[in-house]
Amino acid sequence: MDTPHLMNTPNTPSTPHTTAPSTLSAPDLPRATGATGTTLITRIAALVTNDPSLGDGSPLGLIQDAAIVIDGDRIAWVGPSSKAPATDNAFDADGRAVVPGFVDSHSHLVFAGDRTAEFNARMSGRGYSAGGIRTTVAATRAATDAALEANLVRHLAEARRQGTTTFETKSGYGLTVADEARALRIAAAHTEEVTYLGAHIVPPDYAGRPDGAAEYVDLVTGEMLAACAPYARWIDVFCERGAFDGDQARAVLTAGAAAGLVPRVHANQLGHGPGVRLAVELEAASADHCTHLTDADVDALGQASATTVATLLPGAEFSTRARWPDARRLLGAGATVALSTDCNPGSSYTSSMPFCIALAVRDMGMTPDEALWSATAGGARALRRTDIGTVTPGARADLALLDAPSHVHLAYRPGVPLVSAVWQRGVRVV
């Protein structure tokens, strides 16, 4: 989340040898590699399936010396290399690890401009009052559709090079009916996981009015919702002091649900508040941030683990030098935890899921296994998807090949571009 209290080129990965050369016609529209029929990826040192029944019985379902068969856009078979069936094409993993493609279930990618000066001031210990979110809102409103889409596509290509194969993204930097609707229309051309976030902040147009917040909530739940719902799957609200209180957030989420959108909540990022418990009560798919939690909040997320995922966003804490969420506490209570980037221009300008994995291991109390699961299967749970985040027969063929023998290297070698090949829907795109 781009925090309201701030209102005041990746390395080119190496490509291993394959029988079909990779081609990429556009950053967001990968073209087939030229191979047709089935493809065998063999000599995988360690394969993470996220299915305990397929591997070593751990949550990661590890298979050593493994192979995968891809048929079209789906996984057709996984198992030991020695038992791999014949296929039309072959790819030699050459003793490297394969993990499911990362699932980034929280990002804000439809925007214009950047906030370098704000970040530089924050990191230099200086105050900053040049506008924060309002700066991005002004730049986004002024940008053309083509400019917004080009920026989105650039960030998607950047994320894909780092192994992300599914992403969610939100509106929230337009805050007018027309600008929110166009943001979602642009996003919907590139992902099915689109979130309406008209309730990001109360925009400047309303902030100075005596009843501005109430009037804006009426707009968000009325005319703006009607214009935006056709492009979105989800509805979100920033439930926080300085943004929207519990009653306002409830009004936004229940109106969205009545329009067929599934709730998500920006919850408990800046302080204690009602966001987490509101998310659990309304059976939101996720409560995101979860930085400041009472024991009751933690217990509620543990009890709601089958419906509401606690999505942690370590890039925000890194970029703002804020308190780290306590992943260990959530996991100990039985909560389902996801990791995501929160990629946005103000408070978490990273598209790197490997970086977030390393932060979660170093500063949030997660093990390398837990962090990887949360960045793949956990993200899928937060999107209520069963076809991604795993490498199992029938799942979508979304894979990342690491230039390392084990997934542990994602945390062991932070900042190193370890993703050397990516398959998305069965097509090798990196």
Side-chain angles (χ1 to χ4, degrees):
M1 164 66 202
D2 196 346
T3 50
H5 70 285
L6 299 177
M7 287 161 43
N8 12 299
T9 305
N11 294 323
T12 302
S14 61
T15 303
H17 174 72
T18 179
T19 55
S22 173
T23 58
L24 192 64
S25 57
D28 66 315
L29 296 173
R31 197 169 59 208
T33 61
T36 58
T38 55
T39 297
L40 171 67
I41 305 175
T42 190
R43 292 214 303 145
I44 301 169
L47 170 63
V48 174
T49 69
N50 285 337
D51 184 343
S53 70
L54 290 178
D56 62 357
S58 72
L60 293 189
L62 280 167
I63 303 175
Q64 305 295 331
D65 190 17
I68 302 168
V69 174
I70 298 172
D71 188 357
D73 66 349
R74 298 286 155 173
I75 302 293
W77 179 91
V78 298
S81 282
S82 61
K83 297 182 179 179
T87 58
D88 301 307
N89 308 283
F91 181 99
D92 185 356
D94 195 23
R96 285 171 282 186
V98 171
V99 302
F102 300 123
V103 180
D104 191 348
S105 62
H106 184 127
S107 72
H108 304 250
L109 297 182
V110 185
F111 68 88
D114 75 12
R115 285 161 39 201
T116 306
E118 177 184 313
F119 177 81
N120 189 43
R122 193 162 63 234
M123 294 300 107
S124 303
R126 302 193 304 272
Y128 184 81
S129 57
I133 289 176
R134 290 188 171 94
T135 300
T136 301
V137 169
T140 302
R141 288 178 177 181
T144 65
D145 288 13
L148 290 177
E149 185 161 32
N151 195 48
L152 170 67
V153 167
R154 178 173 66 85
H155 286 95
L156 297 186
E158 181 181 278
R160 186 180 295 111
R161 288 194 296 269
Q162 298 171 90
T164 297
T165 52
T166 301
F167 77 98
E168 175 271 1
T169 202
K170 309 174 192 298
S171 64
Y173 288 124
L175 308 184
T176 68
V177 173
D179 285 306
E180 287 294 290
R182 74 164 177 157
L184 295 172
R185 173 175 49 79
I186 289 168
H190 300 279
T191 180
E192 60 269 62
E193 304 298 346
V194 179
T195 300
Y196 167 44
L197 182 60
H200 194 177
I201 59 167
V202 177
D205 328 51
Y206 288 80
R209 305 180 190 178
D211 296 317
E215 292 175 15
Y216 185 64
V217 169
D218 287 343
L219 180 69
V220 168
T221 58
E223 181 185 356
M224 187 182 286
L225 174 61
C228 291
Y231 302 108
R233 182 183 178 199
W234 311 96
I235 185 165
D236 201 344
V237 60
F238 186 38
C239 182
E240 193 77 53
R241 185 180 66 253
F244 299 91
D245 65 24
D247 290 340
Q248 293 166 335
R250 183 189 299 278
V252 168
L253 297 174
T254 54
L261 305 182
V262 182
R264 320 182 73 80
V265 183
H266 281 69
N268 299 55
Q269 178 188 5
L270 305 179
H272 297 290
V276 162
R277 277 165 287 173
L278 182 63
V280 170
E281 176 195 335
L282 298 181
E283 296 188 345
S286 65
D288 297 31
H289 286 290
C290 296
T291 306
H292 298 271
L293 302 179
T294 64
D295 289 343
D297 294 328
V298 173
D299 290 343
L301 288 167
Q303 293 166 11
S305 61
T307 53
T308 301
V309 173
T311 300
L312 306 183
L313 309 168
E317 281 71 38
F318 176 87
S319 183
T320 61
R321 288 181 172 159
R323 165 181 167 179
W324 296 99
D326 189 345
R328 188 86 268 128
R329 187 178 175 205
L330 287 163
L331 291 166
T336 300
V337 174
L339 286 177
S340 293
T341 64
D342 191 19
C343 186
N344 74 78
S347 63
S348 184
Y349 202 6
T350 179
S351 59
S352 174
M353 289 290 278
F355 176 63
C356 291
I357 288 171
L359 291 179
V361 171
R362 171 61 179 80
D363 292 305
M364 287 166 39
M366 301 185 87
T367 68
D369 285 13
E370 290 166 342
L372 176 60
W373 189 95
S374 295
T376 52
R381 294 272 190 96
L383 297 176
R384 294 188 173 167
R385 297 277 294 271
T386 59
D387 61 329
I388 57 175
T390 63
V391 183
T392 57
R396 207 167 78 177
D398 291 349
L399 308 165
L401 176 72
L402 306 181
D403 194 13
S406 166
H407 67 279
V408 177
H409 282 239
L410 291 166
Y412 180 44
R413 304 192 69 207
V416 176
L418 293 178
V419 175
S420 59
V422 176
W423 286 260
Q424 189 173 29
R425 299 178 185 267
V427 176
R428 190 161 71 91
V429 296
V430 173

